[in-house]
Amino acid sequence: MPAQNQEKIILVVEDNERNMKLAADLLELDQFRVLKAFDGETALETLKTQRPDLILLDIGLPGISGDEVYRQIRANPDLGSIKIVAFTASVMRHEKEKMLQAGFDAFIAKPIDTTNFTHEIKVLLNIQ
C-alpha cells in the first residue's frame, strides 16, 4: 500500500540530527511524505502552511519545549485533527503515562525500534 502512504504527511520535530535522519529515512522508505523541523519554532511556522496527518514531537527541544508546542497546536482549532505523538528518550513509565494523560495520541520511545517504527505510525493513521 505504498500509494496510500504517499498521501500521508508526517512532520518530524527533532533537534538531534541522527534521530531526525533515522526517523525520516524509515518513513520515506515506507513512502510517507516527511516534513522536518529541528525546533519548536520551525514546527509552528510549518503548521501555518502545511497540514500533516501526524506529528512526531520531541519533548526535549531547545527554545520552545515540545510540551509548549503541543499546547499551542491543541489550542488551534484548525489543527485539532492532527495526531501528535510524543517522541522522546524519556521511557520511564510515569513519564509515558503523564504524556498520554496530557492528551498525546501515542508515545514512541527513542532510540527508535527500527523493526516496529513505521508499523506504529501506520496503526495511528489507520493504514493496514
Side-chain angles (χ1 to χ4, degrees):
M1 299 199 202
Q4 193 174 17
N5 292 357
Q6 287 175 343
E7 298 168 10
K8 300 296 184 183
I9 302 169
I10 313 290
L11 172 59
V12 181
V13 187
E14 170 61 63
D15 63 318
N16 179 289
E17 287 187 40
R18 272 196 190 133
N19 289 337
M20 173 66 83
K21 180 168 177 25
L22 180 57
D25 286 352
L26 289 169
L27 292 166
E28 288 168 349
L29 266 172
D30 220 340
Q31 304 299 310
F32 288 101
R33 282 190 47 215
V34 177
L35 305 173
K36 300 174 186 175
F38 288 92
D39 57 45
E41 293 87 348
T42 304
L44 293 171
E45 281 299 311
T46 299
L47 292 171
K48 291 179 180 177
T49 59
Q50 300 284 328
R51 283 296 175 272
D53 298 284
L54 185 140
I55 300 170
L56 282 172
L57 181 57
D58 182 14
I59 302 306
L61 294 169
I64 300 176
S65 73
D67 288 329
E68 180 57 28
V69 171
Y70 173 82
R71 281 191 286 279
Q72 288 189 36
I73 293 169
R74 286 297 184 233
N76 183 336
D78 294 335
L79 305 175
S81 65
I82 300 172
K83 293 195 181 293
I84 304 176
V85 177
F87 188 47
T88 181
S90 292
V91 292
M92 301 298 288
R93 183 180 176 151
H94 71 278
E95 286 292 321
K96 179 179 178 180
E97 289 170 2
K98 183 176 124 185
M99 288 176 212
L100 293 174
Q101 286 174 352
F104 282 89
D105 294 289
F107 176 97
I108 294 179
K110 296 183 280 187
I112 295 170
D113 173 0
T114 58
T115 60
N116 206 26
F117 179 67
T118 57
H119 173 74
E120 291 180 72
I121 300 299
K122 288 177 186 177
V123 168
L124 286 163
L125 293 173
N126 295 316
I127 298 172
Q128 302 306 319

